Amino acid sequence: PNILLVRFTIIISKISAVYIKMVVSTLDGLSDAQKQELVASLSAIVVGKSGAEVTAESLTAVASASGNSLSGAWASVFASAVEKAGSIDKYCLAPGGGGGGGG
């Protein structure tokens, strides 16, 4: 189960020297949708930080290279969201980028 994150960290470090620290003890408790979302989001970070265009095809390729699978639907959703945001950096806001006021 931890192989997923280790492989993504290796790919990230090879592509753009970006390191992501995550602690995951097991993926067993995640639903299939949650696993797909995790693979899609990590793939989007890898592709976006490498400077490549974030497309459904590039997300699927990174997921496959890491030994994981990613459905076309999830790849399309994440590629579209990153495109609408303008970049992976705009899609993934900085820590502490507060939410809306409660009012």
Side-chain angles (χ1 to χ4, degrees):
N2 293 333
I3 293 172
L4 168 90
L5 298 177
V6 172
R7 286 185 180 167
F8 274 111
T9 302
I10 291 168
I11 291 171
I12 290 170
S13 64
K14 286 181 180 178
I15 291 177
S16 63
V18 173
Y19 297 91
I20 297 176
K21 293 183 181 178
M22 299 175 108
V23 177
V24 174
S25 58
T26 182
L27 300 179
D28 293 339
L30 298 178
S31 68
D32 287 338
Q34 290 170 321
K35 290 176 188 175
Q36 286 287 296
E37 185 176 353
L38 178 61
V39 170
S41 60
L42 291 174
S43 296
I45 292 169
V46 168
V47 173
K49 289 296 187 176
S50 74
E53 183 180 356
V54 179
T55 64
E57 293 78 19
S58 63
L59 297 182
T60 302
V62 168
S64 295
S66 70
N68 297 284
S69 62
L70 181 60
S71 75
W74 278 102
S76 294
V77 166
F78 272 76
S80 177
V82 172
E83 179 185 2
K84 287 180 182 179
S87 72
I88 193 68
D89 292 327
K90 290 179 183 175
Y91 179 73
C92 299
L93 297 176

